[in-house]
Every structure is written in C-alpha cells, then in structure tokens.
Amino acid sequence: MAHDSAVSLRIRKAFADRRRDPETKREAVLQTAAQLFLEKSYGRTSMNDVAERLKITKPALYHYFRNKEEILLECYRVGTGMIEEILNGIAAHCGTGVEKVEAFIHSYANVMTLNFGRCVMRFDEGDLSGEAFAEVRAYKRKIDRRLRGFIQEGIADGSITPCDPKLAAFSIAGALNWICIWYEPNGALSAEEIATQFARTLTQGLATRRRRNGSRSNAKESSDD
C-alpha cells in the first residue's frame, strides 16, 4: 500500500513540475492509464479520463500519445521489454532446461502482478485495430517461442520428462496469464510468494522423476535440520 502511494505521488509530481523531462511525464501517462484500464477496463477508459486523473488538459496528453490504443501498445512494449530482459538473463545464467523454465515462471508471474502486466492481459483483443492486434500477437509468439525453447532444452538434457513442448508451454502460459484476473495487491499472498509457488508447482509436472525426488529429499533434509 505504501509503495502504491509513493508511485501515485511520483505521478502527480511529474506534471506539477514543468521542468520535468518528457520521458518522466510519458511514464506518468503510462502508469496512470494502466491503473485506469484496471479500474474501468480498457474499453471504458477514455483519453479524457487519463487527462483528468493527471490533472492536465487533453491537448497536453495528446503531446505524448495520439490515442489510448497507442498507450496500450506502449504498456505492452514495456511489459514485454521487462520479460525479454529477464529471458536473456535466464538463457545466459541458468543451468538445465527445467531450471530455466522455473526461472521463467517465477519472473513472468511477478510481471503479471504489476499494473503493466495485469492491464495488457485483461483487455479484449477485439478492441484493437488490425495493425495493433498483429503487433500484440507478435509479442506473444516471441515469448512463447522462448519458453518452448527452454522446455526443449530440458527434454534434451534429461531434466524434463519427454512431452509436447507446445502443449506444455500453452499450459504454463494459461496458468500464468490468469494471475492478472484474480491477483489483489493487498491480498493474503505477496507477489513474490505467488511467483515462488507457481514456479514450484508448474515445474513439478515437467521435471523428471530424478529431479522431483531430489527436491523432496532436500526438503526433508531441511525439515530434519
């Protein structure tokens, strides 16, 4: 709650100070729009709503974005950029395929608890123009290919039980994307707790028996200590 208040204060200050750089103000527009998309839905949010929340005029808002679709696409780019940066780190530093999948799930689950992640997964793709829809689908396919690649690596190195990588990736993505529907920032579980439990639960079904047994042994040793 304290974090949300700090973010709101920073957003209000972005336009209160005329000397603020355009990039800071642009980010404030994105943060505000993402929050409104969550509160009212993308379809019911207007540019006027965003301007009113920021306490600026509509012409001032149009200086940063031409329409709300452009705002939504930028939210997608920000969210995808976060995920892509995480994926590159996973590919470079994680070991086996199943470890990469587990790290992917943990990181993606965390992004799904952020406003950018939640708002872009909750809107109706039918609200988008053909060009915007194509861009969004391209982002989704790119992430799906990376996840399938990690699963295929796991099958090849023996850390994942042989399976259909496409079906496994769809199952994982479906579970992760659903977080944005039920997650509550002030709920019983923190974002980190949700990410950790999802990573553990979703990888157990993929991991080979040897790794699952190893995890249980480690957990038993820890409890004995």
Side-chain angles (χ1 to χ4, degrees):
M1 195 70 170
H3 173 71
D4 291 342
S5 299
V7 171
S8 298
L9 183 62
R10 190 172 72 246
I11 288 170
R12 286 197 297 272
K13 284 183 175 179
F15 282 93
D17 186 351
R18 292 185 179 182
R19 291 172 297 178
R20 291 266 179 170
D21 65 285
E23 205 51 48
T24 299
K25 293 180 178 180
R26 186 179 171 86
E27 184 186 348
V29 172
L30 289 176
Q31 293 276 5
T32 301
Q35 184 60 46
L36 282 166
F37 292 161
L38 287 170
E39 292 173 12
K40 303 177 65 172
S41 82
Y42 172 76
R44 293 178 181 174
T45 299
S46 67
M47 291 291 276
N48 198 51
D49 292 329
V50 179
E52 283 184 3
R53 180 67 64 89
L54 287 165
K55 298 188 181 342
I56 61 174
T57 63
K58 281 179 72 175
L61 179 59
Y62 286 127
H63 178 71
Y64 299 97
F65 295 97
R66 291 172 297 177
N67 52 54
K68 68 175 184 177
E69 181 175 88
E70 198 172 84
I71 294 175
L72 182 67
L73 281 175
E74 189 59 28
C75 286
Y76 238 107
R77 293 178 189 123
V78 170
T80 306
M82 290 179 190
I83 294 170
E84 201 150 6
E85 191 175 335
I86 290 163
L87 286 172
N88 290 337
I90 291 170
H93 303 296
C94 287
T96 64
V98 76
E99 288 170 345
K100 290 177 181 178
V101 171
E102 190 168 13
F104 169 90
I105 293 169
H106 187 277
S107 300
Y108 195 100
N110 263 308
V111 172
M112 285 298 101
T113 64
L114 301 176
N115 280 358
F116 284 136
R118 291 166 67 207
C119 80
V120 297
M121 287 300 169
R122 286 171 66 167
F123 81 99
D124 184 350
E125 290 183 350
D127 290 333
L128 295 177
S129 65
E131 187 177 341
F133 177 78
E135 184 174 343
V136 166
R137 298 299 292 175
Y139 289 142
K140 289 184 175 181
R141 281 196 295 269
K142 195 172 184 181
I143 293 169
D144 175 65
R145 282 197 297 268
R146 295 294 294 274
L147 175 56
R148 284 196 218 180
F150 292 156
I151 295 170
Q152 286 166 338
E153 278 186 51
I155 294 170
D157 66 29
S159 62
I160 290 179
T161 302
C163 62
D164 183 332
K166 180 179 179 180
L167 189 58
F170 282 169
S171 300
I172 291 170
L176 289 171
N177 289 337
W178 198 249
I179 292 173
C180 69
I181 303 297
W182 55 260
Y183 173 71
E184 289 293 338
N186 299 316
L189 294 175
S190 69
E192 179 60 28
E193 287 170 327
I194 290 169
T196 298
Q197 289 197 33
F198 262 67
R200 184 186 304 127
T201 302
L202 293 177
T203 51
Q204 279 178 351
L206 290 174
T208 54
R209 184 179 296 276
R210 183 179 60 218
R211 186 178 186 274
R212 287 200 299 268
N213 289 342
S215 298
R216 289 198 197 100
S217 299
N218 291 337
K220 186 175 187 305
E221 287 169 12
S222 299
S223 63
D224 289 343
D225 291 343

